[in-house]
Amino acid sequence: VASVVSALFLTALALVKPFKRFDDFYLACTANLLLTCCFVLGTVVQICESAAYEDMCDTLVGFPSARGASSFVIVLTVTTIAVSLVLVVFKAIGALRAPTIRLLSNRRAPVMDLSKKCHFHGFISHIWSTGQDQTHTIVRQMKLVMPDVRIWLDVDCLENLGALEESVGDATTFLVFLSVGYFKSRNCRRELYAGLALDRPFIPIHEADVEKGGAALEVLKAECRAHCVDDAGLGTYPSYSGP
């Protein structure tokens, strides 16, 4: 009975995946697998020690005596534990060597949870002419240190230009890459207005290098004042639903 219950729990654990962190999930599955093996092997030893099942012992494990079955169980258990420990060590070494962002509170990588209403951690808004290469590099670098992060990027996610506002709403954070021409773009302003209306946390990224399409903040402020004069209220855009 214990073997069946343990096996069912292991199956449920693999299907439901209740742990937020993969290493916790891996350790839980490994521990439960070892527990299941102990129950099964204990049953085998009990069968072999019973005179009523003497022939069945030879049929199940190929050992004519309980001593041989016990030795087999011990060797198999030790091997399983050793393999599990080796895998844990290799995983720990790989995790330490991999570049990643860690929290000061616990020295562990942040858990990248998402609310049920959003599918992305961030939406990055930029103008193609002066910010496309930089934003793509930023997203790639973010994924190197946070492999589970999901960033909405036009080249990967844009399917309908008329649904930019909905795309902004599908992310928990609004990242804006400020470069020359950003505020001149109507689509960039649509994204900006949607982020403001939805009250998303803003993360501004300023490109100051003029040779890479950047400009001083005063220049970008002047560009904003000159072009952010259109009505961003409800009904202005077909897909805009307001805050």
Side-chain angles (χ1 to χ4, degrees):
V1 176
S3 301
V4 174
V5 172
S6 184
L8 290 175
F9 181 78
L10 178 60
T11 303
L13 190 66
L15 293 175
V16 178
K17 295 181 180 179
F19 297 97
K20 295 180 179 180
R21 302 182 61 86
F22 177 77
D23 50 355
D24 293 337
F25 170 72
Y26 174 79
L27 288 175
C29 288
T30 303
N32 201 78
L33 178 61
L34 289 173
L35 183 62
T36 304
C37 290
C38 288
F39 286 141
V40 172
L41 295 175
T43 303
V44 171
V45 172
Q46 186 177 10
I47 291 175
C48 291
E49 288 180 344
S50 175
Y53 302 101
E54 187 174 353
D55 295 335
M56 188 179 294
C57 177
D58 191 20
T59 304
L60 285 176
V61 294
F63 293 99
S65 65
R67 183 175 181 179
S70 300
S71 301
F72 169 75
V73 168
I74 293 172
V75 171
L76 186 60
T77 302
V78 171
T79 303
T80 305
I81 294 175
V83 171
S84 301
L85 289 176
V86 170
L87 291 176
V88 169
V89 170
F90 272 104
K91 182 174 177 58
I93 294 175
L96 290 174
R97 290 181 176 177
T100 183
I101 291 178
R102 297 183 184 276
L103 300 175
L104 288 175
S105 57
N106 55 15
R107 298 293 181 180
R108 304 180 76 177
V111 177
M112 307 301 294
D113 281 342
L114 278 171
S115 67
K116 296 181 179 179
K117 296 181 180 180
C118 297
H119 297 92
F120 296 91
H121 295 99
F123 178 102
I124 187 162
S125 177
H126 65 284
I127 177 89
W128 288 1
S129 58
T130 58
Q132 189 172 20
D133 292 340
Q134 297 95 312
T135 52
H136 293 183
T137 301
I138 290 171
V139 172
R140 286 196 300 269
Q141 292 299 318
M142 289 177 66
K143 290 188 175 183
L144 283 177
V145 295
M146 294 185 292
D148 296 330
V149 71
R150 299 196 65 194
I151 302 296
W152 194 99
L153 190 61
D154 50 9
V155 293
D156 299 325
C157 308
L158 182 61
E159 296 180 354
N160 180 7
L161 195 60
L164 285 176
E165 290 79 11
E166 282 84 349
S167 299
V168 173
D170 199 23
T172 59
T173 307
F174 186 82
L175 298 90
V176 54
F177 187 83
L178 298 173
S179 58
V180 172
Y182 177 83
F183 296 107
K184 295 179 181 180
S185 168
R186 175 177 176 270
N187 289 328
C188 288
R189 295 198 302 273
R190 286 174 57 195
E191 297 167 357
L192 180 66
Y193 298 154
L196 290 169
L198 293 168
D199 197 24
R200 290 290 189 262
F202 263 62
I203 300 178
I205 306 170
H206 174 218
E207 176 59 83
D209 192 340
V210 177
E211 296 182 358
K212 296 181 179 180
L217 282 177
E218 292 303 321
V219 174
L220 294 174
K221 288 180 181 179
E223 182 182 294
C224 177
R225 296 188 188 99
H227 294 90
C228 294
V229 295
D230 40 354
D231 182 13
L234 187 64
T236 302
Y237 302 117
S239 60
Y240 184 72
S241 57

